[in-house]
Amino acid sequence: MSQPILEVKGLKKYFPIQGGVFGKTVGEVKAVDDVSFHVREGEILGIVGESGCGKSTTGKSILRLIEPTEGEVKFEGKDITKFSSEDMRKLRRDMQIIFQDPYASLNPRHTVEKIVGEPLLVHGMKSKSERKKRVRQLLEIVGLSSYHASRYPHQFSGGQRQRIGIARALANHPKLIICDEPVSALDVSVQSQILNLMEELRDEFQLTYIFIAHDLSVVKHISDRVGVMYLGRMVELAEKDALYEEPKHPYTKALLSAVPEPDPDIVKERVILEGDVPSPANPPTGCAFHTRCPFAMDICSQVRPEFGPVDDQHFVACHLYNDK
Ligand code: SF4
């Protein structure tokens, strides 16, 4: 088994809530609240959860695109939360991000040549002809053609634009790519093409991905292991097959029961969750899921369950398993 390339320990991101005439801090939104996990080299770790569960904030905090409030983020053994901005700038060669909306993340006034060539320039490739050559090579790697270099983002389809985003992320030979809902803005038929491309690139360039998405089928397609987040916390983490076939946490069970089953002979029992997701500005005490959990016990509203192992590779934060 390969070594962890990334270790996240006790990561927190709290956003202050300002109120009153003087704009004083009157509370905080706990977008990410004590999240820990690791990612092995060459692995694809999926992170799923409903919108607002903190999965995208986790991704951006790891890259320090937003500053974490607390916690450790070790990349290749070094805690990068302590890095200076200059060290972070250099590190961004190794750690990249692909965003959900390729159109919003590509400057509409720049040609593909400039968009994909920019990270090369930032990281020291001064020669225009070298950049031109590398951009064309990158476009071919992601399934576009070299003549696309002179075009503008609006001249491409959604899937092609995401290929441009991937080419830009690959420019400086990164080791880790955080993919933040990279296919959710795309048609289903295009989604699988992009997912297949990402898998091929992982194998060809020995990449490691954190793949963030709300769609459990998409995450199942691409991930080796999957973590489930609820209200800023990781509630379950396991190898993909174990998580999808034998989910432990009641929230994971409910999420999976809502995924349509392609085989009409399989009838699934749907778990209907009562109530809305509580506000992360005022999360429930104890287990954050207790207000909606069909198995809630007295202890659940009082004591926060530890995120602990149920076996070697399967972790869960739930009092139903904590005694084991
Ligand atoms: Fe449900 Fe309690 Fe487990 Fe939370 S700790 S998921 S409320 S059983």
Side-chain angles (χ1 to χ4, degrees):
M1 202 175 287
S2 55
Q3 291 297 312
I5 188 169
L6 184 82
E7 292 164 276
V8 175
K9 270 193 206 147
L11 185 70
K12 294 183 184 174
K13 179 62 198 178
Y14 295 174
F15 293 101
I17 304 170
Q18 254 98 35
V21 223
F22 301 109
K24 273 177 36 187
T25 301
V26 293
E28 47 198 7
V29 174
K30 296 180 174 176
V32 179
D33 193 12
D34 202 3
V35 165
S36 301
F37 60 90
H38 68 269
V39 192
R40 295 190 282 263
E41 212 174 325
E43 178 180 46
I44 303 182
L45 176 76
I47 300 184
V48 284
E50 293 163 291
S51 135
C53 71
K55 54 193 188 305
S56 288
T57 309
T58 300
K60 290 183 187 131
S61 302
I62 289 170
L63 283 180
R64 291 185 57 199
L65 296 176
I66 48 180
E67 283 300 329
T69 307
E70 216 179 294
E72 242 179 47
V73 177
K74 280 191 179 167
F75 180 74
E76 296 187 316
K78 291 189 192 128
D79 184 3
I80 65 169
T81 61
K82 310 267 189 303
F83 276 24
S84 65
S85 45
E86 177 55 19
D87 289 342
M88 273 316 290
R89 194 187 67 75
K90 288 187 196 144
L91 185 73
R92 293 221 166 87
R93 284 176 80 114
D94 292 336
M95 298 170 84
Q96 283 290 317
I97 187 162
I98 298 170
F99 293 102
Q100 170 177 8
D101 182 352
Y103 198 54
S105 67
L106 305 176
N107 190 327
R109 287 184 296 276
H110 289 175
T111 60
V112 169
E113 176 101 53
K114 185 150 191 202
I115 291 168
V116 179
E118 200 193 350
L120 297 169
L121 180 63
V122 168
H123 288 286
M125 195 184 275
K126 302 281 181 235
S127 152
K128 200 171 176 185
S129 64
E130 258 185 72
R131 284 204 306 276
K132 207 168 174 169
K133 199 168 142 206
R134 175 75 178 138
V135 167
R136 276 152 183 73
Q137 188 190 32
L138 285 161
L139 291 178
E140 277 164 23
I141 286 171
V142 299
L144 295 169
S145 299
S146 49
Y147 65 81
H148 286 128
S150 56
R151 299 198 178 164
Y152 290 86
H154 74 268
Q155 295 174 289
F156 294 91
S157 67
Q160 285 175 320
R161 283 199 285 262
Q162 196 52 289
R163 286 175 195 266
I164 298 167
I166 295 171
R168 179 176 56 181
L170 286 178
N172 287 306
H173 309 283
K175 295 175 181 168
L176 172 76
I177 303 184
I178 296 186
C179 314
D180 188 5
E181 300 267 13
V183 297
S184 28
L186 305 174
D187 290 346
V188 176
S189 59
V190 183
Q191 282 188 356
S192 51
Q193 292 168 16
I194 297 293
L195 291 174
N196 291 340
L197 170 69
M198 292 180 72
E199 273 186 306
E200 285 162 24
L201 295 173
R202 187 266 297 250
D203 296 342
E204 195 174 341
F205 300 110
Q206 293 85 47
L207 297 168
T208 304
Y209 296 141
I210 295 180
F211 193 97
I212 296 165
H214 67 277
D215 184 328
L216 280 104
S217 315
V218 164
V219 169
K220 186 178 183 187
H221 180 112
I222 197 159
S223 307
D224 299 311
R225 284 187 305 144
V226 178
V228 180
M229 284 187 71
Y230 183 78
L231 221 58
R233 299 175 188 175
M234 188 74 82
V235 296
E236 186 160 6
L237 179 67
E239 299 286 336
K240 171 174 68 182
D241 291 345
L243 190 112
Y244 281 79
E245 278 156 35
E246 281 185 67
K248 305 285 186 206
H249 197 281
Y251 177 61
T252 314
K253 288 182 184 178
L255 278 185
L256 286 171
S257 80
V259 176
E261 177 55 61
D263 182 346
D265 292 335
I266 298 178
V267 181
K268 282 207 273 189
E269 195 185 329
R270 176 96 197 257
V271 183
I272 307 284
L273 290 179
E274 304 287 336
D276 296 324
V277 180
S279 163
N282 188 18
T285 53
C287 170
F289 188 55
H290 84 260
T291 52
R292 304 169 79 199
C293 179
F295 306 98
M297 306 166 279
D298 286 346
I299 188 177
C300 301
S301 59
Q302 293 153 24
V303 180
R304 180 172 168 170
E306 292 290 323
F307 186 63
V310 280
D311 65 39
D312 272 3
Q313 304 293 332
H314 202 143
F315 295 78
V316 66
C318 173
H319 289 302
L320 293 171
Y321 306 92
N322 270 190
D323 293 342
K324 294 189 176 167

